[in-house]
Amino acid sequence: MVTLDGESLTPEAVVAVAREDAEVAVSEDARDAVRRAREWIEGVTESGEAVYGVNTGFGELVDERIPPEDVDELQTNLVRSHAAGAGRELPREAVRAMMVTRVNALLKGHSGVRETVVDHLVAMLNRGVHPVVKSRGSLGASGDLSPLAHTSLVLLGEGEADVDGGEGADASTEPERVSGAEALARVDLDPHRLRAKEGLALINGTQLTVGLAALLVVDAERLASAADVAGALSTEVTMGSTVPSHPAITDVRPHEGQAASAGNVRRLTEDSDVVESHRNCDRVQDAYSFRCLPQVHGPVREAVDHLRNAVETELNSATDNPLLFERDRVDERASGTDRVGVLSGGNFHGEVLALKLDYLTSALTELGAISERRVDRMLNPNIQEPHLPPFLTPESGLMSGYMLAQYTAAAMVNECRSLGRPSTDNTPVSGNQEDHVSMSAQSAFHARTALDNVETVVGVELVCGAQAAEFVDDDLALGSGTGEAYEAIREVVPELATDRPIHEDVERGAAVARSPEFVERVDAAIGGDLA
């Protein structure tokens, strides 16, 4: 159960709702805040004062006054007209993430919707009604308008939705796509007739961006740990040194991320016979992709932390416009009544997330790049260690082994490098009224592409690391953590004794890299100390 209160939603809770179908509830204090804000907006409506989005047009049409009898129709028209998306549809988890984050923002008590709007959205989540949402169309200001409008259409009994099988249905039952009206009917909900401010409150916010970003934070943190595991295994099976992860080195350059990754390498390779077997060898230093692992993996961790901090704040923020406040919180310049002040601002602007999402894309690209270089060090006959055969195959020449796995890793890294940084772009819209936009949704999509690609690269490294371990002396045991990682890979990818189509090896390796269970399993093997 995830209880929403507008104040305490976390990325992990978003994952629970989006991916695990955790039930959603609303706290009583939050309900009080919603009811109070609705009373405020009704008072403003009755006063007749011009308030943006309540009794005026939108964007460039802000100076158009709307007669009182048309105020409700204004909100319905807004939702319909802004459902203008294109491109592929959002996946189920993205739609659920967007819905739960939108509910939480409304619960802040500054938006002015009726309680029944919140209850309908919660019921849709709990009963498996997922609007069909086109992924493209958001500029990240005024928020994620178009995707949120597609979501809100279903509240009106319009648009389309995918409906789960319902209570008692088999878990494998495919959702059925039906009209918005039919979707609501199947879960005993009536279509909504929107009232003043409600359409704007539903679509004006950053919820697509922050929903995607919340999922990314959790996934990227897990991938950073999986990459440390892969790097430690690669270091070990290439007879590399763990000295670059010595605490004395990190102590004199005390970046938290670097210290975390260095500590992981030490703990993962603890009690390793392989490491001990060449501790006093003639090699002075390893290549940078091994020696500088903490200095590259560490900053990636810090980039993810940077995004997490912003996401945790944004999840519990009011991001629509205008916002309602008790009069004593605002000065006389605010519109409204003696009881409530209405302020028009720009909390819908997604720059605070866009910049950090682009930063994450860059960081993940580097994580993939250094991983791919370690793969090459294991495979490349011109630079690999003497105990390793070319491309990790026992009969090189006759067989190509994992030669092409590195090609795939290189292709994934190249695609990451080709991704733009949308937060640096801008296209004015709405008659130039909205003359600077964040492109935050595009930043989130690019970061997701980078993360998916790097999961594959790290998966390739894990597979190649396990294969390289086959050529290490049988009498030498791997470390407690790296040994567990080897076993996890071998459960899904058998040793490569003869050539076979290796796309399944790549896919299974990627699945291991993205699996929370993999990191948990390795963590348990080293006593729960994996950062």
Side-chain angles (χ1 to χ4, degrees), residues 34 47 53 70 123 235 455 470 481 483 486 515:
V34 170
S47 74
D70 294 332
T235 299
E455 285 176 340
E470 307 298 346
Y486 168 84
S515 167

Side-chain angles (χ1 to χ4, degrees), residues 318-334:
T319 58
D320 58 296
N321 178 60
L323 295 171
L324 309 170
F325 301 90
E326 291 182 290
R327 174 56 73 175
D328 60 7
R329 289 195 61 188
V330 297
D331 59 28
E332 66 279 357
R333 290 173 293 178

Side-chain angles (χ1 to χ4, degrees), residues 479-497:
S480 54
T482 50
E484 190 67 27
Y486 168 84
E487 294 296 336
I489 288 292
R490 279 291 169 260
E491 288 175 8
V492 294
V493 180
E495 178 183 351
L496 188 70

Side-chain angles (χ1 to χ4, degrees), residues 100-259:
V100 70
T101 55
R102 186 67 243 166
V103 171
N104 201 59
L106 296 175
L107 295 180
K108 295 291 292 182
H110 298 286
S111 300
V113 300
R114 288 169 295 159
E115 192 176 0
T116 183
V117 172
V118 170
D119 287 337
H120 264 57
L121 288 171
V122 169
M124 288 167 62
L125 280 166
N126 289 341
R127 301 175 194 177
V129 175
H130 305 114
V132 176
V133 181
K134 297 292 187 180
S135 61
R136 267 48 181 187
S138 172
L139 302 180
S142 298
D144 298 314
L145 290 172
S146 186
L148 286 167
H150 280 278
T151 303
S152 302
L153 272 179
V154 177
L155 278 175
L156 310 181
E158 301 179 15
E160 291 184 303
D162 292 327
V163 182
D164 290 348
E167 187 175 354
D170 187 271
S172 63
T173 302
E174 287 294 319
E176 184 179 355
R177 179 157 299 181
V178 297
S179 70
E182 174 65 15
L184 294 180
R186 290 196 181 187
V187 294
D188 297 323
L189 294 174
D190 295 323
H192 255 297
R193 176 178 169 82
L194 297 178
R195 305 300 185 191
K197 180 66 166 58
E198 290 182 337
L200 188 59
L202 283 166
I203 73 172
N204 201 211
T206 60
Q207 276 58 57
L208 172 60
T209 303
V210 76
L212 293 173
L215 300 178
L216 280 162
V217 163
V218 173
D219 292 346
E221 288 173 344
R222 180 256 314 137
L223 180 59
S225 295
D228 284 351
V229 175
L233 178 60
S234 299
T235 299
E236 197 170 10
V237 297
T238 57
M239 302 297 171
S241 175
T242 58
V243 169
S245 293
H246 195 286
I249 295 176
T250 57
D251 286 349
V252 295
R253 196 191 192 197
H255 293 287
E256 291 183 6
Q258 177 179 326

Side-chain angles (χ1 to χ4, degrees), residues 244 283 285-293 373-374 377:
R283 189 192 306 175
Q285 294 184 133
D286 295 322
Y288 282 6
S289 56
F290 294 97
R291 194 184 348 151
C292 300
L293 183 157
R373 287 294 79 205
R374 290 192 295 264
R377 286 270 163 184

